[in-house]
Amino acid sequence: MLPEAFLARLRQQLGDEYSQFLESLERPRAVALRFNLLKGEIPSLPFVGDPVPWEKMGYYYNPESRPGLHVYHEAGVYYLQEASAMAPVALLDPQPGEWVCDLCAAPGGKTTQIAGRMLGRGFLLCNEINPSRAKILSRNIERMGVANALVTNEHPENLAKRFAGCFDRVLVDAPCSGEGMFRKEEAAVTDWSPETVRMCARRQGEILNSAAKLVRPGGRLVYSTCTFAPEEDEGAVAAFLAEHPEFQPELADAPWFVPGENGSFRLWPHKLLGEGHFAAVLRKQEGEEPDRISAPGEKLPAQWDSFARPLGIRLPEGKAMSFGQTLYWAPEEMPPLKGLKVLRPGLELGTVKKDRFEPAHALALWLKGCGNVQSFEPESREIQAYLHGDVVPSGKRGWCLVQAGQYSIGWGKGDGTVLKNHYPKGLRR
């Protein structure tokens, strides 16, 4: 049962299309996934169907197939993402080599979509103000093999002060009343009220004010929600533009969506295969552009060289940064991090011990191969045993990259007979 106040407003918003909207809520929900370009070649999978028109890596899938249980999901080959939720990043259109910020990033669907388009080049700041959700974001960054991302748990205004005018593109996928998710999430219905809409609109205005400071002159800001409420959508954009004359609406080529005022688009479930969404594209016309400051890098320790050289592991352009015993490989553009709440400053390489190096799971998921690989068929008993944390048969010795087909899923350490399992305990089935 949908709230009557919500339905009354939708009748007014949609007019003659109101009955079509209600009918669309009765049809089976379209579910989608997005392949990860960072993992290389896209596999052919029997449960993958038609493409999502606005995202070149997005595809609808058969909901009975449960792709979240497939080993390729664990390997970060794809991300389960609602089709309409792929639209804001398509409008953001991030490019390799740019500075991009996802300001409200958890759980990570849009962040990893951005990362896929950046192809490992440039600097990606992904932030989540909620600590527990920030940890989920960090885990998804790891699973999808993203190496050029800084994951922070900060208030947007703190980032605005630190990185004013630095970003070529900023995405604000704002917390909202979630009306577009009513069919997907029962909690969105029970938590909804007109007061919730007004509260969300106030919070969205505050986040947008912070986001405005992050965008460089000439940069693009995309604001999005998963709600139908005009107060949170067109109203929020109009209020922002009135307060920030340095921004102007930008026309974007998006024939799949219903265009509105001030560079905005609506995604209605009765007009496409997806849930409800809203997005607006804005361009910053003027402002100050400060010099971007990069943090100094460190020398890679001898323990890393002893581990990586025999395996032929070559890191991309970047720099080493250590936090305690944990070693990271950060993009060259990584700024100074002092004073920030950081969860992940780039690619985690592993732990530096006194006489050895222990590789991180993140490194395995980033690698497409190395000099010592044990590959099993994706549906094999060996892969299932590995995901359960069991030893698996192998003639390999030393650190060995375990792959399901051609996709890396973790580390093992061989004695010539079996591989000792180094799949993280918290991920084991």
Side-chain angles (χ1 to χ4, degrees):
M1 296 292 293
L2 298 178
E4 183 53 41
F6 165 75
L7 293 175
R9 195 194 71 226
L10 261 292
R11 288 190 198 98
Q12 187 176 18
Q13 279 184 262
L14 288 169
D16 295 340
E17 295 183 15
Y18 178 67
S19 60
Q20 299 174 40
F21 171 80
L22 292 182
E23 289 171 6
S24 73
L25 301 184
E26 298 298 322
R27 73 186 182 205
R29 200 164 57 84
V31 289
L33 57 79
R34 176 179 44 77
F35 284 109
N36 182 8
L37 278 174
L38 300 177
K39 294 291 180 172
E41 185 178 341
I42 296 173
S44 176
L45 297 171
F47 51 79
V48 174
D50 294 333
V52 174
W54 47 89
E55 170 51 57
K56 59 184 178 181
M57 291 293 106
Y59 291 84
Y60 297 100
Y61 67 85
N62 179 352
E64 298 179 358
S65 60
R66 303 183 72 186
L69 299 179
H70 197 284
V71 64
Y72 283 172
H73 181 266
E74 303 299 320
V77 177
Y78 52 77
Y79 191 105
L80 303 183
Q81 187 177 19
E82 203 279 310
S84 294
M86 301 179 191
V89 172
L91 294 169
L92 187 70
D93 194 26
Q95 300 296 312
E98 292 183 327
W99 276 49
V100 183
C101 174
D102 186 356
L103 197 54
C104 312
K110 295 177 178 66
T111 285
T112 55
Q113 186 181 2
I114 291 170
R117 290 179 175 238
M118 294 178 73
L119 297 174
R121 303 197 295 276
F123 172 59
L124 172 58
L125 170 61
C126 41
N127 178 70
E128 173 56 45
I129 192 171
N130 181 290
S132 60
R133 286 172 54 81
K135 292 178 182 178
I136 297 171
L137 167 65
S138 183
R139 288 198 293 268
N140 279 322
I141 289 290
E142 175 178 278
R143 180 172 66 87
M144 303 299 279
V146 179
N148 62 326
L150 168 64
V151 183
T152 58
N153 170 217
E154 282 287 349
H155 191 286
E157 186 58 24
N158 292 339
L159 295 177
K161 293 175 182 177
R162 186 71 169 265
F163 300 113
C166 285
F167 290 92
D168 301 288
R169 301 174 199 259
V170 174
L171 174 64
V172 176
D173 185 48
C176 68
S177 58
E179 295 173 358
M181 297 293 109
F182 277 0
R183 186 166 60 142
K184 180 183 176 184
E185 299 176 5
E186 184 177 345
V189 179
T190 57
D191 292 344
W192 185 91
S193 70
E195 291 74 22
T196 300
V197 171
R198 290 190 287 270
M199 178 196 70
C200 288
R202 289 192 297 271
R203 181 169 55 185
Q204 290 152 0
E206 294 171 358
I207 297 172
L208 276 170
N209 286 334
S210 297
K213 300 171 187 175
L214 290 166
V215 185
R216 71 165 181 83
R220 177 179 288 186
L221 170 64
V222 170
Y223 170 72
S224 66
T225 74
C226 58
T227 193
F228 303 119
E231 194 171 349
E232 301 179 64
D233 294 342
E234 293 89 350
V237 174
F240 173 80
L241 291 173
E243 190 172 345
H244 295 275
E246 71 274 20
F247 281 86
Q248 294 294 322
E250 183 173 22
L251 296 178
D253 184 19
W256 318 278
F257 315 139
V258 179
E261 58 190 32
N262 290 328
S264 67
F265 297 92
R266 279 192 176 273
L267 285 70
W268 292 101
H270 62 288
K271 291 183 176 292
L272 45 73
L273 290 178
E275 305 301 318
H277 233 82
F278 170 88
V281 185
L282 309 171
R283 178 76 69 176
K284 192 171 188 177
Q285 304 296 317
E286 57 189 32
E288 295 184 7
E289 186 167 358
D291 294 332
R292 294 167 175 167
I293 302 174
S294 296
E298 304 171 13
K299 183 180 179 181
L300 284 166
Q303 294 92 325
W304 163 261
D305 291 336
S306 298
F307 163 79
R309 189 179 296 110
L311 295 175
I313 296 175
R314 299 184 65 181
L315 296 172
E317 182 179 343
K319 58 193 176 188
M321 301 182 75
S322 58
F323 291 80
Q325 289 185 305
T326 306
L327 183 67
Y328 289 86
W329 190 250
E332 195 62 51
E333 300 92 336
M334 182 68 75
L337 303 179
K338 186 177 180 180
L340 291 176
K341 298 175 184 175
V342 174
L343 278 74
R344 186 177 294 270
L347 174 65
E348 184 182 356
L349 298 179
T351 304
V352 180
K353 302 289 187 178
K354 183 177 180 180
D355 57 350
R356 67 189 189 282
F357 186 84
E358 294 186 1
H361 185 59
L363 176 62
L365 293 175
W366 175 77
L367 286 168
K368 296 183 179 68
C370 70
N372 198 24
V373 172
Q374 177 64 68
S375 178
F376 299 106
E377 289 299 316
E379 307 291 347
S380 66
R381 287 184 295 177
E382 289 85 356
I383 284 295
Q384 295 305 314
Y386 180 79
L387 294 178
H388 278 88
D390 300 333
V391 297
V392 290
S394 173
K396 303 289 184 177
R397 291 184 178 275
W399 285 109
C400 178
L401 189 63
V402 180
Q403 294 186 326
Q406 61 181 316
Y407 301 107
S408 304
I409 61 170
W411 292 106
K413 198 168 187 181
D415 62 5
T417 304
V418 296
L419 288 179
K420 181 181 178 182
N421 198 308
H422 283 264
Y423 194 65
K425 292 181 180 179
L427 300 178
R428 293 177 182 178
R429 295 182 177 178

